[in-house]
Amino acid sequence: MISVNKISLGFGGRDLFKDISFQITGTDRIGLVGKNGAGKSTLLKIFSGEQKADSGNISGPNDLTIGFLKQDLEFSSGKTVMEETESAFEEIKELEARIEEINEAITTRTDYESDSYMDLITELNEATERFSMIGGYNFKADLERVLIGLGFKQEDFDRQTTEFSGGWRMRIELAKLLLQKNELMLLDEPTNHLDIESIIWLEEFLQTYEGAVLLVSHDRSFLDSVTNRTIEISYGNIYDYKASYSKYIVLRQERREKQIQAKKNQDQEIKQTQMLINKFRAKASKAAFAQSLIKKLDKMVIIEVDEEDTKSMRFKFPPAPHSGKVVLTAKNVGKRYGDHQVFSNVDMMIERQEKIAFVGQNGQGKSTLAKIIIGELEHTGKVELGHNVKVGYYAQDQANSLDGNKTILQTIEDAADDNTRPRVRDLLGSFMFSGDDVQKKVKVLSGGEKGRVALCKLLLEPSNVLVLDEPTNHLDMMSKDVLKNSLKKYDGTLILVSHDRDFLQGLSNKVFEFRDGEVKEHLGDINSYLESRKVADFRQLELETNKKVAAKKEESKKKEESGLTYDEKKQLEKDIRKETNALSKVEKEVEDLETTLAELDEKLHKPEEFKKLSEDTEFFAKYEEMKSRLDTLMADWEKQQATVEKLLAKRE
């Protein structure tokens, strides 16, 4: 049980939290919701210890372990995927080194009766028990399983992390967090930069996670799939609902309607009571009655309606300058990083006022092609912009490229020209930055607030082609809706990179799908594209693709099986007998070794037996060698079992 006890925190004279309290149990999957700047990310930082509250505290078990996936991660370089992921096992590595030190010390000492020797033995037993408990003997197998589950291939393990896109590097950080098996997991916008397939995997993982989860997300579907509780932060207060996001929306509306009606009824009652008091207080015969009514009013608990933050952005893109009919042509475009071919032979033609969606998994080249279009990356083939084309670009990490030491006002003023500078304050007001807010340093803003500043910069210069790479990352749901409505009214050409189907609906009339090094064009909007694939949404698309791949493998296997000759079948039976016998031998050796180790473990817990065993200076080295041998045998058994199963499958 974790308790949040009357936490308060203020910034710049404004209360972010005012005496908020709630509890988290081990089975909670809590979605933190609220507008950008409401304090969601700050609350996670308070839980992690990165931020201190002005008052109040968070209490829980002393040995509580907390993992935190931050919104803006700083990726380290110089390591392979495997090396970086292994850094999650710091305690295992330290224990492994200490156990080796103790074993080496034990083999060289002969003072078996001394207290220091017995202390060393005790430390060894405790370290070995802890090492086993936290998965020291099988952490590498867990590591590989999680990395593969997140979409990495075996051959990726030895590649440098810098070779991967931001979304894939996010998966490495996510893998590290999941492998730590913390009792409380804090996730700040975990679906940002993740493709649909990895979001599905994360949903499934969190649904069965043994610890508690506290997460911030603006992905409605993700919240509905994962959470069983929703906490809204609004005007410094919290509202706790035992429901997932969609149910919370309904319950919140019902709650406010009931409060409003109850408030009306109470106001009417107060009005009528006051009228009676005024009527009877001057009459001596009714004075006692009037006094009783006054006391009734004094005791009445005034009903308050929950405050609702309805502020939102209000802006529209400037009219698009006139351009030629064809705004972009690409012929035989390709991009390679070293030995990795991202895509090749890409041909496309985009005309004025078309609305284009780039969709596909991370690492397939969506952002790469966007950067090629705006002239940021070298490439093969040819890309030409049409007559009088003026491109506006919003990068996936646009918000992070802002100068943190500048104020919001300085940021926009520096980007403005002589024509737009007089309108800077009005423009900032349309993005919900007014009064003293414009003097805030960019570095203290939330991810969503930085996103609004970056969007504001985009409006300073009119463009007739907008290239937007994941523009909804970090934006709250109301801000996403405002951006979508503004883009619907935009009269220029639009190229959108996004994995958010709700956002893309109604914004695209042509889709380019990035998959397996190819870029395929689909005419029609996002719904038409999905319908052509006979799926309802991106999630089903990924699942359907996986089913097709599995079906092809099964079909291929059946063809192989049905084509066996008599001699091949005879050889198959011979191979099955041979491999089955080999499997039996490994199983027998594993069984014998497990029995021996169990007997030794029992003796090690008895002082007299322990003393006898310790007299053999080579005992502990042999003991560790047997455990190591058992690990090797178990690995051999798994491989042998897989071989036998494969052969048996061929026979069926």
Side-chain angles (χ1 to χ4, degrees):
M1 177 76 73
I2 304 164
S3 296
V4 177
N5 307 305
K6 294 188 175 181
I7 282 181
S8 294
L9 180 65
F11 281 119
R14 181 173 71 91
D15 287 324
L16 203 57
F17 309 121
K18 294 182 293 188
D19 293 330
I20 64 170
S21 299
F22 61 93
Q23 292 182 331
I24 301 175
T25 66
T27 58
D28 278 333
R29 306 281 186 273
I30 302 173
L32 274 180
V33 301
K35 303 195 71 173
N36 290 142
K40 304 183 296 295
S41 296
T42 302
L43 186 56
L44 294 188
K45 289 177 182 177
I46 292 174
F47 267 95
S48 71
E50 286 191 16
Q51 175 83 44
K52 287 188 177 180
D54 295 335
S55 62
N57 63 79
I58 295 176
S59 59
N62 293 329
D63 57 350
L64 178 71
T65 56
I66 298 176
F68 186 17
L69 184 74
K70 292 190 270 190
Q71 198 176 105
D72 301 313
L73 293 171
E74 295 181 4
F75 300 119
S76 58
S77 301
K79 292 182 179 180
T80 65
V81 172
M82 179 65 77
E83 290 168 343
E84 182 62 35
T85 311
E86 280 186 347
S87 66
F89 298 100
E90 184 178 347
E91 184 181 2
I92 286 178
K93 292 290 186 181
E94 289 176 356
L95 282 171
E96 195 172 41
R98 181 55 184 157
I99 289 170
E100 189 175 340
E101 286 178 10
I102 297 173
N103 281 326
E104 188 175 340
I106 288 174
T107 58
T108 59
R109 292 179 59 162
T110 56
D111 55 334
Y112 308 127
E113 302 293 336
S114 68
D115 290 341
S116 63
Y117 186 86
M118 294 308 296
D119 289 342
L120 209 58
I121 295 300
T122 300
E123 185 184 355
L124 176 62
N125 286 336
E126 290 175 351
T128 303
E129 185 177 349
R130 175 65 181 167
F131 186 76
S132 177
M133 186 177 71
I134 63 176
Y137 294 113
N138 53 15
F139 80 94
K140 286 193 175 179
D142 289 342
L143 184 152
E144 291 188 11
R145 185 172 63 253
V146 170
L147 283 177
I148 290 172
L150 283 170
F152 290 93
K153 299 176 183 176
Q154 199 82 31
E155 54 266 31
D156 293 330
F157 293 173
D158 295 325
R159 290 173 60 190
Q160 291 288 314
T161 58
T162 50
E163 296 179 34
F164 293 86
S165 67
W168 284 96
R169 297 184 77 176
M170 172 75 83
R171 296 186 203 199
I172 297 172
E173 297 302 315
L174 184 57
K176 288 161 60 176
L177 181 65
L178 302 183
L179 287 162
Q180 290 169 356
K181 300 177 182 177
N182 295 290
E183 292 161 290
L184 173 62
M185 184 147 49
L186 309 173
L187 302 175
D188 196 354
E189 293 288 4
T191 62
N192 280 356
H193 311 298
L194 294 183
D195 55 49
I196 299 301
E197 189 173 0
S198 60
I199 292 175
I200 293 171
W201 189 92
L202 180 58
E203 285 178 354
E204 292 173 349
F205 181 91
L206 293 178
Q207 286 164 1
T208 58
Y209 187 65
E210 292 183 358
V213 179
L214 183 61
L215 68 90
V216 175
S217 178
H218 297 129
D219 185 325
R220 291 178 175 88
S221 182
F222 181 75
L223 286 169
D224 280 339
S225 178
V226 172
T227 62
N228 56 17
R229 184 175 165 194
T230 302
I231 293 179
E232 178 189 13
I233 303 177
S234 179
Y235 289 115
N237 298 313
I238 65 162
Y239 304 97
D240 196 344
Y241 295 83
K242 310 296 183 187
S244 60
Y245 182 79
S246 291
K247 291 180 181 177
Y248 139 75
I249 292 294
V250 175
L251 291 173
R252 181 185 63 174
Q253 184 61 30
E254 290 177 353
R255 174 175 169 170
R256 290 196 83 253
E257 287 174 356
K258 288 178 181 177
Q259 286 178 337
I260 290 169
Q261 187 57 50
K263 178 68 173 172
K264 285 181 180 178
N265 293 340
Q266 188 181 64
D267 288 346
Q268 184 65 29
E269 183 183 356
I270 291 172
K271 183 180 178 181
Q272 291 175 346
T273 304
Q274 192 63 55
M275 287 174 60
L276 290 173
I277 292 171
N278 294 336
K279 181 178 180 181
F280 296 123
R281 73 193 320 166
K283 297 181 180 180
S285 60
K286 299 290 185 179
F289 177 59
Q291 283 300 317
S292 67
L293 291 177
I294 292 172
K295 289 180 182 179
K296 177 184 175 182
L297 281 184
D298 290 340
K299 292 179 181 179
M300 187 177 290
V301 178
I302 302 301
I303 296 171
E304 293 183 0
V305 178
D306 293 343
E307 287 186 279
E308 189 173 28
D309 191 348
T310 57
K311 291 184 298 183
S312 66
M313 297 189 297
R314 55 188 193 286
F315 72 93
K316 63 179 181 179
F317 288 94
H322 188 74
S323 67
K325 182 179 180 182
V326 177
V327 299
L328 170 73
T329 55
K331 294 181 180 179
N332 200 30
V333 175
K335 181 61 183 177
R336 175 187 293 273
Y337 290 103
D339 296 331
H340 177 54
Q341 185 75 43
V342 183
F343 50 71
S344 59
N345 304 319
V346 175
D347 296 320
M348 65 171 58
M349 183 180 74
I350 299 175
E351 296 184 352
R352 184 176 60 239
Q353 294 187 329
E354 279 193 315
K355 311 297 182 187
I356 308 296
F358 285 178
V359 302
Q361 292 181 318
N362 283 349
Q364 293 293 326
K366 303 185 300 296
S367 297
T368 298
L369 186 55
K371 289 177 181 177
I372 287 173
I373 289 171
I374 66 166
E376 273 195 8
L377 288 180
E378 294 183 358
H379 56 90
T380 58
K382 192 174 183 180
V383 174
E384 287 186 345
L385 296 179
H387 173 67
N388 199 36
V389 166
K390 295 181 180 180
V391 180
Y393 177 55
Y394 184 97
Q396 195 174 122
D397 58 352
Q398 189 80 34
N400 297 332
S401 66
L402 300 173
D403 187 341
N405 292 316
K406 287 184 178 181
T407 65
I408 297 173
L409 183 60
Q410 287 172 333
T411 300
I412 303 303
E413 283 184 336
D414 290 350
D417 58 21
D418 292 339
N419 292 326
T420 56
R421 195 165 289 113
R423 298 190 295 107
V424 161
R425 282 188 175 269
D426 289 339
L427 192 58
L428 283 171
S430 68
F431 282 87
M432 298 165 59
F433 297 115
S434 59
D436 294 337
D437 286 343
V438 300
Q439 300 300 335
K440 284 182 180 178
K441 291 284 184 71
V442 169
K443 62 185 176 184
V444 304
L445 302 179
S446 69
E449 289 172 320
K450 288 178 183 177
R452 297 207 307 268
V453 173
L455 281 172
C456 185
K457 282 184 67 177
L458 192 63
L459 268 64
L460 291 172
E461 186 174 348
S463 58
N464 45 32
V465 176
L466 281 179
V467 181
L468 308 182
D469 191 355
E470 299 290 2
T472 61
N473 282 354
H474 308 302
L475 291 183
D476 60 46
M477 294 179 192
M478 191 176 292
S479 296
K480 282 201 294 187
D481 291 341
V482 172
L483 174 60
K484 180 174 179 177
N485 289 331
S486 298
L487 289 172
K488 281 182 177 180
K489 298 173 184 176
Y490 175 60
D491 60 349
T493 306
L494 180 62
I495 299 175
L496 268 174
V497 180
S498 180
H499 64 261
D500 189 330
R501 183 211 174 185
D502 290 334
F503 183 72
L504 288 175
Q505 282 182 333
L507 282 182
S508 59
N509 53 29
K510 185 184 290 186
V511 175
F512 285 93
E513 180 189 23
F514 291 65
R515 183 179 291 275
D516 299 329
E518 296 181 350
V519 181
K520 294 182 179 180
E521 179 180 343
H522 296 260
L523 298 177
D525 64 10
I526 195 68
N527 290 330
S528 173
Y529 157 70
L530 294 170
E531 193 175 317
S532 71
R533 297 294 298 267
K534 293 183 171 57
V535 289
D537 56 27
F538 282 158
R539 297 172 186 278
Q540 286 178 301
L541 175 57
E542 293 299 334
L543 293 172
E544 188 68 23
T545 301
N546 293 338
K547 287 179 183 178
K548 287 181 179 178
V549 170
K552 284 183 179 179
K553 287 182 179 178
E554 184 67 24
E555 184 179 349
S556 176
K557 186 177 76 170
K558 286 181 179 179
K559 284 182 179 179
E560 289 178 7
E561 292 168 0
S562 62
L564 290 178
T565 64
Y566 173 78
D567 289 337
E568 286 172 335
K569 289 180 180 178
K570 190 174 181 181
Q571 181 61 44
L572 177 61
E573 293 300 326
K574 184 178 179 181
D575 291 341
I576 289 173
R577 286 194 299 273
K578 177 184 174 184
E579 298 301 334
T580 302
N581 289 335
L583 178 64
S584 298
K585 288 180 181 179
V586 175
E587 287 176 342
K588 181 66 168 63
E589 192 172 352
V590 167
E591 186 179 340
D592 292 344
L593 196 52
E594 284 180 334
T595 301
T596 302
L597 283 170
E599 291 172 353
L600 289 174
D601 287 339
E602 188 176 349
K603 289 180 180 179
L604 286 172
H605 285 85
K606 297 178 180 179
E608 292 182 3
E609 294 287 349
F610 180 84
K611 182 179 177 182
K612 289 179 184 178
L613 293 173
S614 299
E615 291 173 356
D616 181 358
T617 57
E618 296 182 357
F619 169 74
F620 287 103
K622 292 177 182 177
Y623 178 74
E624 290 299 325
E625 187 178 331
M626 279 189 283
K627 291 204 293 186
S628 177
R629 173 62 180 160
L630 181 59
D631 289 340
T632 302
L633 284 171
M634 289 303 296
D636 291 344
W637 180 85
E638 288 181 5
K639 290 179 182 178
Q640 193 65 34
Q641 179 72 13
T643 300
V644 172
E645 288 176 355
K646 188 175 180 181
L647 291 171
L648 290 172
K650 281 187 177 183
R651 186 174 65 180
E652 292 176 358

